[in-house]
Amino acid sequence: MTCHTLSFNHNKLVALPRCLANMINLTALSANDNKISFLPSNFGDSRSLTTVKLCANIIEELPESISRLPRLKSLWLDHNAPMAALPWNFYMLTSLVELRMDANPGAFLFFLAFIVLCAFTLLNLYVGVIFYQFSRI
């Protein structure tokens, strides 16, 4: 059996199982409206994930391993009141196109980190073009 989508919404879960990382075909995970306070440290080993919805929980921080999700396009973290910052390596989520942080007290910090990420990406592209032009001389 191949499972691509898991939905654990409204179940009063306090944690997600570490074995999620073993589900190599899992692309979408939804665990909204639970009591999850942390994600497993190996969460980033679920490398096929493209969508993660963890709204209305009590997640304090994301594990650094989340940066190892190369296909992650959509991350919903609305209404996780204690969350105040992103992991230092969050910028490595280069496929991320949707980050939802509504009703989080640290949302401004997330916004600021996102702006820095965009600026860093543009600077990287600009420097790459310059080096490419000089290498052609």
Side-chain angles (χ1 to χ4, degrees):
M1 180 172 108
T2 302
C3 185
H4 295 276
T5 303
L6 281 179
S7 178
F8 296 123
N9 299 325
H10 314 286
N11 284 300
K12 298 180 183 173
L13 296 177
V14 295
L16 292 174
R18 291 182 52 84
C19 64
L20 285 177
N22 299 332
M23 300 180 72
I24 60 173
N25 295 310
L26 185 64
T27 59
L29 171 66
S30 182
N32 296 319
D33 196 24
N34 284 290
K35 300 195 180 305
I36 299 168
S37 61
F38 67 95
L39 299 179
S41 60
N42 68 341
F43 190 76
D45 295 339
S46 305
R47 302 189 52 88
S48 295
L49 279 173
T50 60
T51 302
V52 175
K53 297 178 181 179
L54 297 167
C55 301
N57 283 289
I58 51 173
I59 299 171
E60 296 179 16
E61 64 183 10
L62 299 174
E64 289 183 8
S65 68
I66 199 165
S67 69
R68 295 194 310 256
L69 298 175
R71 294 179 179 95
L72 187 63
K73 294 183 185 319
S74 181
L75 179 59
W76 293 16
L77 297 167
D78 304 334
H79 301 278
N80 278 287
M83 188 177 293
L86 291 167
W88 68 271
N89 56 357
F90 192 78
Y91 72 92
M92 297 172 72
L93 292 173
T94 56
S95 295
L96 191 65
V97 293
E98 180 182 27
L99 174 60
R100 292 182 50 170
M101 295 293 304
D102 299 340
N104 283 334
F108 176 74
L109 297 175
F110 287 101
F111 175 72
L112 185 60
F114 184 72
I115 296 299
V116 169
L117 170 64
C118 291
F120 180 72
T121 302
L122 289 174
L123 179 63
N124 240 356
L125 290 173
Y126 181 70
V127 170
V129 168
I130 290 174
F131 280 120
Y132 176 74
Q133 293 298 327
F134 279 117
S135 70
R136 296 182 66 197
I137 297 177

